[in-house]
Amino acid sequence: MQVTFWGTRGSIAKAGPTTVRYGGNTSCVSARTADGTLLVLDAGTGLHELGQQLARDGARVDGHLLIGHTHWDHIQGLPFFAPLFQPGNVWHVYGPRGLDTSISHALAGQMQYTYFPVQLHDFDATVHYHDLLEGQFEIGDILITTRYLHHPALTLGYRIEADGVTVVYSSDHEPTMEAEPGPDAVETLNREEAQHVAFLRDADLVIHDAQYLAEEYPAKAGWGHSPMEYAVDVACAADARRLALYHHDPSRTDAEVDVLVERARERAHDVGYKGEVFAAVEGLTIALEPLDAAESRVPFGSAMSTPALDDLPRTVLVAVQNRDADAALHEAARAEGFEALECVDFDQIMRVARTEQPPIVVLEAQPGRSLDDLADDARQIIEAYPEGATVVYVTTTTPPLHDIRPEITDWLVWPASQSHLRTKLRAWLLRRACRWQSAALPADEPERLAALWGLGILDTEPEERFERYTELACSTFDVPMSLLTLVDQDRQWFKSHPGVPISETHRDESFCAHAILGDAVFMITDTFQDDRFAENPNVARGGRVRFYAGVPLTLEDGHRVGTLCIMDDRPRVLDDDEIERLRQLGRMVEAELESTAEEMADA
Ligand SMILES: [Zn+2]
Ligand SMILES: [Zn+2]
């Protein structure tokens, strides 16, 4: 894959003697795959020169334009992109959908007659617009994963996998915590940061926002851009092969970018980052070759699906005493078409949560209340819903860094701008509508269910002959939770469940339903970093499952009826010996199940 930078500057184009070497055009990068497919990331002013070069010989040129968000510095080149004015060309334009607006609508805005003489529908090429959510989609053989970045507009980052290499485009993003995510810090990252690192994981090239230096950042916090140090740290934590520092500040001279790069390399040395660090240069092309043939594609929900927005009432419960924050939240809710339900005390919050089921609950983190108190409140609220809720705390101080409370979906640092609040509301609702990924049904599902039901074990009392194996699993692996799970038609039911206070959940949120799809021990070393599970309610809302390993339980007739699994509240990896030990425990449970089956047959 060939990657070329056409615009490297952030915020506003800056032509002149101070930006000659690194370039003065705003965000635009092209990526061409081995079969000639052309992807363009963002449509800043750099897009103009790309268009000139593509249209030079007049031949047909098709492509795919992926827009991260519609701030000016990412779309201003669009009306000047020559291939769009060439009849016969076919272009696909992708971007984040809003709650009520489409990407084409947002792009048409900057081309209204007041601002520009040519309208969006005046393009001579055939242009198809695609609205995206968080998830995955394919363009031919190219797999693209999208993820909401942290920016005061709904912004998507793009992870592009093709030709055995991976490029991640993560522009216009700022940290959600004062993180120093070095190589060993994965356990201390909050959920957002852990998922950001996972999004960058093992990329051959990460193109990352690095507009500021650490000492400049405090004055610019909330503007949606990263300090260079953070970009180095996340590239390091993700073990990326190359890091291109991108979205250069318009006021930074070439000499100052040189200094930034020098300091970035020092930072890389200090945190033990082995990858290559450089600043994106306008006109620079990088050819990416695969390191090895191994592919690690994780299945994820579709980015192009229609979100289940209709199933979610567009309501937000607001219980915030800070008058300014409360008023601003109401204004943002109104602007986004949300009904805001005002609550004054906790009893009222619980009542409204039970009756109205607002998918988003915004509370205030009052000073003097401990993180445990806040998490307890959040858990009580979540338990009032069949499928949990998104619970957010408004705080005027820095959110807690190292204490991860899965009950708390997000922290809203006040003061915040209207655009930030509106973006947050949209992302919370769209994310809830996309959900996590439930397991596929096994090929032998009807026969498998018949075999399970034939055991006559569902909804029976706990039995010592099974309890001893889950207890043994807890002590052997030093974990707080173990389950003997039976995967039923619509639920998973636990014959034994030390450390887990419930006896069944819906099948959609079952890890074990994934585990029974194969023969091997199914292991999730860190649920925060796995797109199939990061939003699972057992991880994200009230649960505390950070690690999972399950051995499928296979009856003699070959049907996998459930698992023996262990879970932990911290990331872990089982070595080969431990996997073997878990498998042996599984064999013993299978023997007990077989004896049950024989008793049933005799009776
Ligand atoms: Zn920007
Ligand atoms: Zn922006």
Side-chain angles (χ1 to χ4, degrees):
M1 193 195 298
Q2 296 244 339
V3 177
T4 303
F5 295 97
W6 300 93
T8 60
R9 202 58 55 178
S11 307
I12 188 169
K14 177 79 177 195
T18 60
T19 61
V20 171
R21 281 191 291 122
Y22 289 100
N25 281 301
T26 60
S27 308
C28 182
V29 175
S30 68
R32 203 182 271 282
T33 61
D35 72 359
T37 305
L38 176 64
L39 305 184
V40 180
L41 292 148
D42 272 338
T45 62
L47 186 69
H48 175 256
E49 180 57 23
L50 170 61
Q52 295 301 299
Q53 299 212 7
L54 290 173
R56 207 164 33 197
D57 58 6
R60 174 172 167 177
V61 44
D62 300 340
H64 302 265
L65 175 56
L66 310 173
I67 291 176
H69 68 305
T70 51
H71 281 165
W72 277 346
D73 52 324
H74 299 259
I75 60 169
Q76 268 188 324
L78 191 74
F80 299 92
F81 187 48
L84 295 182
F85 295 93
Q86 206 171 310
N89 289 351
V90 178
W91 278 78
H92 294 265
V93 178
Y94 308 77
R97 62 163 285 154
L99 283 183
D100 301 302
T101 56
S102 60
I103 184 67
S104 61
H105 185 257
L107 291 172
Q110 76 159 347
M111 293 175 73
Q112 284 171 23
Y113 192 69
T114 316
Y115 309 109
F116 198 71
V118 180
Q119 312 300 285
L120 191 70
H121 50 76
D122 291 339
F123 289 140
D124 299 308
T126 305
V127 184
H128 302 281
Y129 296 92
H130 306 272
D131 290 311
L132 298 178
L133 298 162
E134 223 173 40
Q136 285 184 330
F137 65 104
E138 287 176 6
I139 297 174
D141 289 339
I142 307 168
L143 178 73
I144 299 175
T145 306
T146 57
R147 172 166 173 73
Y148 291 126
L149 301 179
H150 193 52
H151 193 65
L154 204 57
T155 301
L156 286 174
Y158 293 97
R159 180 182 171 99
I160 299 164
E161 297 171 61
D163 302 344
V165 297
T166 301
V167 177
V168 178
Y169 184 81
S170 171
S171 186
D172 295 60
H173 170 75
E174 82 175 290
T176 59
M177 58 191 268
E178 287 174 21
E180 297 219 343
D184 306 317
V186 170
E187 287 188 37
T188 65
L189 295 178
N190 69 20
R191 240 162 55 80
E192 278 294 311
E193 293 303 334
Q195 290 186 34
H196 188 62
V197 168
F199 183 61
L200 271 46
R201 169 78 52 213
D202 295 329
D204 297 273
L205 171 64
V206 168
I207 300 167
H208 203 287
D209 190 319
Q211 184 154 352
Y212 304 127
L213 291 164
E215 66 264 30
E216 298 165 340
Y217 177 67
K220 311 285 172 79
W223 292 22
H225 300 289
S226 297
M228 165 279 285
E229 289 79 359
Y230 166 81
V232 172
D233 290 358
V234 287
C236 176
D239 217 2
R241 279 173 73 196
R242 295 180 193 81
L243 168 65
L245 304 165
Y246 186 68
H247 208 271
H248 306 312
D249 194 89
S251 61
R252 206 173 305 283
T253 65
D254 285 336
E256 286 167 345
V257 178
D258 287 339
V259 173
L260 181 138
V261 172
E262 210 170 291
R263 285 182 49 178
R265 289 179 180 153
E266 280 165 24
R267 176 76 174 194
H269 179 264
D270 292 347
V271 298
Y273 178 46
K274 304 281 183 291
E276 188 187 333
V277 180
F278 58 97
V281 174
E282 197 173 305
L284 173 72
T285 295
I286 301 168
L288 298 174
E289 302 287 347
L291 258 190
D292 52 52
E295 283 189 60
S296 61
R297 291 185 170 190
V298 259
F300 195 20
S302 168
M304 298 177 88
S305 61
T306 314
L309 279 174
D310 296 342
D311 300 343
L312 289 174
R314 199 178 292 187
T315 46
V316 52
L317 186 161
V318 181
V320 174
Q321 287 72 41
N322 179 315
R323 286 227 188 125
D324 296 337
D326 183 60
L329 277 162
H330 280 271
E331 188 185 334
R334 226 177 1 257
E336 291 297 324
F338 278 72
E339 184 191 354
L341 307 170
E342 183 79 35
C343 288
V344 289
D345 59 34
F346 197 71
D347 287 345
Q348 193 186 7
I349 292 170
M350 290 305 297
R351 222 169 24 245
V352 171
R354 279 191 206 100
T355 52
E356 312 272 333
Q357 304 259 301
I360 301 165
V361 176
V362 184
L363 309 172
E364 183 163 351
Q366 282 150 331
R369 299 207 66 218
S370 72
L371 189 57
D372 284 334
D373 295 340
L374 300 178
D376 276 348
D377 286 355
R379 186 176 319 110
Q380 283 190 52
I381 293 167
I382 287 163
E383 284 170 2
Y385 295 74
E387 291 180 343
T390 293
V391 178
V392 179
Y393 275 104
V394 175
T395 171
T396 51
T397 56
T398 314
L401 303 186
H402 300 320
D403 276 301
I404 295 156
R405 298 303 159 110
E407 300 89 341
I408 302 169
T409 313
D410 207 349
W411 297 86
L412 194 62
V413 182
W414 181 259
S417 66
Q418 267 302 302
S419 62
H420 183 73
L421 296 179
R422 292 177 59 175
T423 303
K424 282 287 185 186
L425 279 172
R426 281 181 218 174
W428 291 328
L429 194 74
L430 285 168
R431 267 199 181 144
R432 276 211 74 80
C434 309
R435 310 277 297 281
W436 66 95
Q437 198 188 13
S438 53
L441 289 182
D444 65 343
E445 180 67 1
E447 301 79 18
R448 192 193 71 78
L449 282 175
L452 170 62
W453 296 338
L455 293 175
I457 195 174
L458 290 170
D459 300 306
T460 56
E461 290 299 310
E463 291 175 67
E464 168 54 27
R465 62 190 182 117
F466 291 115
E467 294 299 312
R468 62 181 168 188
Y469 293 119
T470 46
E471 304 281 358
L472 190 56
C474 284
S475 59
T476 305
F477 298 99
D478 186 27
V479 291
M481 300 167 273
S482 174
L483 295 171
L484 196 180
T485 304
L486 298 165
V487 181
D488 197 2
Q489 191 161 17
D490 293 317
R491 62 171 179 162
Q492 56 175 353
W493 180 80
F494 311 134
K495 175 67 180 170
S496 173
H497 49 96
V500 177
I502 47 175
S503 61
E504 66 176 61
T505 80
H506 197 279
R507 186 169 176 172
D508 281 352
E509 56 189 73
S510 167
F511 285 60
C512 300
H514 288 266
I516 62 165
L517 296 176
D519 280 324
V521 168
F522 182 74
M523 179 159 61
I524 306 296
T525 56
D526 184 354
T527 54
F528 283 10
Q529 299 209 28
D530 191 303
D531 290 325
R532 292 167 296 179
F533 300 104
E535 298 293 327
N536 185 296
N538 298 301
V539 177
R541 291 179 283 279
R544 52 183 179 127
V545 180
R546 189 81 190 265
F547 160 84
Y548 172 94
V551 56
L553 301 172
T554 312
L555 299 182
E556 267 167 19
D557 56 14
H559 299 304
R560 298 184 205 105
V561 291
T563 77
L564 175 72
C565 73
I566 54 175
M567 295 176 291
D568 207 340
D569 49 16
R570 60 196 170 100
R572 286 184 67 152
V573 181
L574 296 188
D575 63 27
D576 290 346
D577 288 347
E578 290 171 314
I579 288 174
E580 185 49 39
R581 237 175 295 157
L582 183 60
R583 199 174 326 206
Q584 284 166 7
L585 280 178
R587 294 298 87 88
M588 292 186 237
V589 177
E590 281 170 0
E592 283 300 330
L593 289 175
E594 283 302 339
S595 72
T596 309
E598 278 156 26
E599 280 165 30
M600 288 300 288
D602 292 346

